[in-house]
Amino acid sequence: MEDKKTKSAKEIDLLLAVEKIVEQAKDSHLNKEFYRKAGKYIKYMSEKLELTKEESVMIALFINWSDNGTIQFKDICEYVNCPSVCILRYTDILENREFIRCRREKHGRASYRVPFDVIEAFKRNEKYVPRKCTNLTCLELFAELEDIFEQRKDNELTFETMASKIQSLFTDNPQIKYVQKVKDQYLETNDEMLLVLFSHLFVNNEDDYIRYYDLDWLYDNKRDWSKIRGKLNRGHHQLFWYNLIEYNNDDGMVDREVFRMTQKAKDDLFDELNISNRCIKSKYEDWIGCNSITTKKLFYGNSIQSQITELSQLLDDTHYKEIHSRMKDSGFRCGFTCLFYGAPGTGKTETVLQLARQTGRDIVQVNLSQLKSCWVGESEKNIKRLFDNYRSKVKKSKVTPILLFNEADAIINQRMEGAQTAANKMENSIQNIILQEMEDLDGILIATTNLAGNMDNAFERRFLYKIKFDKPTLEARMNIWHEMIPALDESVTRTLATKYDFSGGQIENVARHYTIGNILHGKSDNDIDKITSYCDNERLDTKECRKIGF
């Protein structure tokens, strides 16, 4: 009999115990009879998890609803048919042991979820023990901070609990210099947490443009936040006094609504991370590394080829630095501004990419759609911020990157004379800022456009190099056909180049269509007919009805 009981006890695991407890708990009122019937399983969980019997029952019920990220009291109460106070009295204990997390919503409502690590521990039939974060590197510390702030932002932690977790994290990792530097400030808890949040936004989010809405979720007590906001707005906060934060400064104008960490703070606090001089990427730009650009052979007419060759020589870093230095010594503007204009598909953007690859220059490509805002004055700030960020990158980069305004038709067009509407005034203001920035540029700016005829004269004067990309010559088209579809012999490429006055982009479209067709349907015995069919479909000016498909 004793052996049988021992065997039975060994077969119990945490998931089975949860299953049996939940099964007996339905409509039980959690009465004595329930505890008698489920006693064996409650005892197992209680001993395994080092919880009381009542706490073990509660965690079993929460685990049962763990597939729901918003567990409500009422669901559990209705299931067991008992008042919510029976469950409420144990939630703080389970929260402190990190078995559950609470999301506190407006009007005092709360919902709960069971963390993934708890569920995994139950699956392994192991006691869940919150991870002890000791001997962390600085980078690992910031990963932990990111998780804590996410929980706070989702209202899963109160401000007090969040601060306690962060301070425990600091206590457990005194070897980290960042922790030592923060503690050396001797800040009150509210101010220390604000400094840590600024640090998190800079390190984890690469955010150097911090608004009030990036901060206001930190505090539970709105009165506390109101006081802190007032001090920030007046520049009287301790973080200002200690030269840890500053207002953003656009073109010499202080913006009291936007903050960033000072360079002193970055140098002092983040020494271990080697990011004090990090170039912060904004939503207005994409960074294209020169080593990530795929080599592509381009074909031009003789006139364009000579201009591209000269520009390539200029952008070679040795020549660039020498010319830049001489122009500066002679009192000339040091910026190199280039305009690539011409018909679509003639290789303007690809030329920028290949020049960058050949000369080892990264590209800062501007997201024009992100620059313009519906808010009054915001678009202008975005433009200034973009150029400020580019200047910072130029200073910190060994090789000056290229600032690329691709398809810049919308921002270098004619300015509106006597603009009356708010939209037209904004367009003029944006263009004036860009014109001034081009005047003061100390770097490399390249813009591409299909509509040079609409360009304002003031922009035309500010572009040092202006290269018109014509449609390729017959010989260039033959070379492009052969490059795109190497299997074609010279007679076929000449026929196609003569019959179809295509740009390089159009030829590439046909080549892609041809390749896809071969993959789907197999290689044809008559390539010329198939390619001719694709060419006819590529033209929009044919009088025949276009065929759809292959």
Side-chain angles (χ1 to χ4, degrees):
M1 180 68 73
E2 194 173 318
D3 290 343
K4 194 170 183 180
K5 283 183 180 178
T6 303
K7 184 179 179 183
S8 176
K10 286 181 179 178
E11 289 174 352
I12 299 177
D13 60 25
L14 285 172
L15 289 181
L16 177 63
V18 168
E19 180 186 343
K20 295 299 183 182
I21 291 169
V22 170
E23 185 181 297
Q24 294 295 331
K26 185 170 176 58
D27 294 323
S28 68
H29 305 283
L30 301 183
N31 56 23
K32 290 182 180 179
E33 181 63 14
F34 156 72
Y35 278 97
R36 187 188 67 77
K37 288 182 177 179
K40 175 170 66 173
Y41 303 102
I42 295 172
K43 183 173 183 285
Y44 177 83
M45 279 190 67
S46 177
E47 292 174 351
K48 185 86 172 176
L49 304 178
E50 296 183 10
L51 295 171
T52 67
K53 292 180 179 180
E54 292 78 11
E55 291 162 1
S56 298
V57 171
M58 291 305 116
I59 190 57
L61 292 169
F62 276 104
I63 289 285
N64 186 56
W65 270 270
S66 61
D67 61 332
N68 186 347
T70 54
I71 304 169
Q72 304 287 338
F73 272 151
K74 64 179 181 64
D75 296 328
I76 297 177
C77 292
E78 287 174 5
Y79 183 82
V80 299
N81 196 4
C82 73
S84 60
V85 70
C86 295
I87 297 168
L88 186 60
R89 67 178 58 153
Y90 300 108
T91 54
D92 284 348
I93 298 167
L94 295 180
E95 270 193 84
N96 291 337
R97 292 281 301 271
E98 298 187 26
F99 281 107
I100 60 174
R101 288 182 182 169
C102 176
R103 179 186 177 91
R104 293 161 180 86
E105 300 169 3
K106 292 180 180 179
H107 312 299
R109 294 177 183 173
S111 61
Y112 295 84
R113 72 178 177 90
V114 180
F116 178 76
D117 290 346
V118 176
I119 297 167
E120 288 299 300
F122 270 64
K123 286 180 180 178
R124 296 191 301 270
N125 195 37
E126 295 175 359
K127 173 188 172 184
Y128 172 69
V129 179
R131 191 161 47 93
K132 189 73 171 172
C133 297
T134 56
N135 298 318
L136 298 179
T137 65
C138 192
L139 197 60
E140 289 168 339
L141 173 79
F142 274 93
E144 295 297 326
L145 290 174
E146 184 169 26
D147 184 51
I148 292 171
F149 281 126
E150 281 301 313
Q151 291 175 48
R152 171 68 194 123
K153 202 167 187 179
D154 289 340
N155 288 318
E156 292 182 354
L157 298 176
T158 63
F159 175 82
E160 186 179 348
T161 307
M162 175 205 71
S164 176
K165 287 173 75 74
I166 290 175
Q167 287 165 344
S168 295
L169 200 58
F170 284 7
T171 301
D172 291 339
N173 293 277
Q175 78 285 353
I176 297 176
K177 289 181 182 177
Y178 170 78
V179 172
Q180 298 166 13
K181 298 287 178 63
V182 170
K183 288 301 178 187
D184 285 347
Q185 307 301 322
Y186 296 103
L187 296 168
E188 299 271 343
T189 300
N190 279 353
D191 300 332
E192 182 176 275
M193 291 304 107
L194 187 62
L195 174 59
V196 176
L197 177 56
F198 267 102
S199 303
H200 153 70
L201 291 171
F202 176 72
V203 174
N204 290 325
N205 294 0
E206 298 190 346
D207 195 346
D208 228 6
Y209 194 81
I210 299 166
R211 291 182 173 275
Y212 285 118
Y213 59 68
D214 296 313
L215 309 171
D216 62 5
W217 52 267
L218 185 65
Y219 302 95
D220 289 326
N221 190 320
K222 295 307 172 187
R223 210 174 268 179
D224 286 347
W225 167 239
S226 182
K227 288 179 183 177
I228 290 168
R229 178 169 180 147
K231 289 179 181 179
L232 288 171
N233 191 50
R234 294 188 300 273
H236 292 168
H237 196 278
Q238 278 189 296
L239 299 187
F240 279 107
W241 296 345
Y242 294 163
N243 197 20
L244 295 170
I245 65 170
E246 63 187 359
Y247 295 120
N248 255 295
N249 189 315
D250 285 329
D251 199 25
M253 299 295 291
V254 169
D255 189 342
R256 290 178 178 271
E257 298 287 316
V258 187
F259 310 90
R260 64 188 172 202
M261 300 196 76
T262 62
Q263 192 59 49
K264 173 185 175 297
K266 294 170 187 174
D267 292 338
D268 194 33
L269 295 176
F270 309 127
D271 182 53
E272 293 156 291
L273 297 173
N274 195 29
I275 60 168
S276 62
N277 289 325
R278 171 190 282 175
C279 291
I280 299 300
K281 177 182 176 297
S282 77
K283 65 180 180 179
Y284 316 114
E285 61 194 51
D286 290 322
W287 184 267
I288 304 173
C290 59
N291 294 327
S292 69
I293 299 170
T294 304
T295 303
K296 185 176 282 189
K297 193 171 183 180
L298 300 176
F299 300 93
Y300 311 99
N302 291 334
S303 173
I304 301 175
Q305 182 63 65
S306 63
Q307 294 178 79
I308 297 299
T309 301
E310 181 180 342
L311 189 56
S312 178
Q313 291 172 349
L314 163 66
L315 295 181
D316 174 77
D317 200 42
T318 303
H319 291 152
Y320 173 80
K321 287 177 178 175
E322 182 183 352
I323 295 168
H324 179 275
S325 178
R326 287 193 182 184
M327 291 181 74
K328 192 171 185 178
D329 293 342
S330 302
F332 288 115
R333 295 197 302 271
C334 299
F336 293 91
T337 50
C338 314
L339 178 71
F340 293 174
Y341 67 100
T346 49
K348 300 182 292 296
T349 304
E350 191 59 50
T351 297
V352 180
L353 294 173
Q354 295 307 312
L355 284 171
R357 183 189 60 77
Q358 292 164 13
T359 59
R361 299 185 185 278
D362 297 328
I363 295 176
V364 180
Q365 180 167 305
V366 180
N367 292 329
L368 294 174
S369 62
Q370 293 283 352
L371 277 173
K372 293 189 178 180
S373 170
C374 61
W375 301 106
V376 174
E378 192 68 22
S379 299
E380 293 89 329
K381 289 180 183 178
N382 292 345
I383 293 285
K384 291 175 183 177
R385 204 174 303 129
L386 170 75
F387 278 97
D388 282 346
N389 206 17
Y390 177 68
R391 271 189 288 274
S392 177
K393 285 179 168 64
V394 170
K395 288 178 183 177
K396 296 165 187 173
S397 300
K398 290 183 179 179
V399 179
T400 300
I402 296 170
L403 182 62
L404 172 60
F405 282 82
N406 201 25
E407 298 183 5
D409 315 326
I411 60 170
I412 62 174
N413 55 10
Q414 293 285 343
R415 285 175 291 175
M416 305 282 183
E417 292 186 15
Q420 297 297 321
T421 68
N424 289 343
K425 288 179 180 178
M426 182 191 74
E427 292 290 341
N428 282 356
S429 180
I430 288 173
Q431 290 172 322
N432 289 335
I433 293 169
I434 294 175
L435 286 168
Q436 186 58 51
E437 292 289 355
M438 290 176 70
E439 194 78 19
D440 300 335
L441 183 75
D442 190 356
I444 303 163
L445 183 150
I446 302 179
T448 70
T449 179
N450 301 330
L451 304 170
N454 294 340
M455 187 169 62
D456 192 278
N457 290 336
F459 280 103
E460 186 175 341
R461 289 194 301 272
R462 281 167 173 78
F463 284 111
L464 180 63
Y465 283 82
K466 294 176 275 287
I467 302 177
K468 183 179 181 183
F469 283 69
D470 295 314
K471 283 195 172 183
T473 61
L474 175 65
E475 184 180 354
R477 290 197 299 274
M478 287 177 62
N479 288 329
I480 296 169
W481 277 114
H482 182 69
E483 181 71 18
M484 294 292 177
I485 311 177
L488 299 180
D489 59 38
E490 185 177 347
S491 63
V492 174
T493 59
R494 181 172 294 277
T495 299
L496 293 170
T498 303
K499 184 175 180 181
Y500 299 102
D501 185 21
F502 281 171
S503 67
Q506 288 173 303
I507 295 173
E508 183 176 10
N509 274 350
V510 172
R512 290 171 62 198
H513 210 161
Y514 169 78
T515 302
I516 292 169
N518 284 348
I519 293 169
L520 292 178
H521 309 301
K523 190 164 171 49
S524 171
D525 294 333
N526 195 336
D527 276 344
I528 186 64
D529 285 350
K530 181 189 281 190
I531 294 172
T532 299
S533 170
Y534 295 150
C535 287
D536 289 337
N537 284 337
E538 179 65 23
R539 296 189 299 188
L540 292 175
D541 57 352
T542 55
K543 294 182 181 179
E544 299 177 358
C545 293
R546 293 188 58 182
K547 297 177 182 178
I548 298 175
F550 299 99

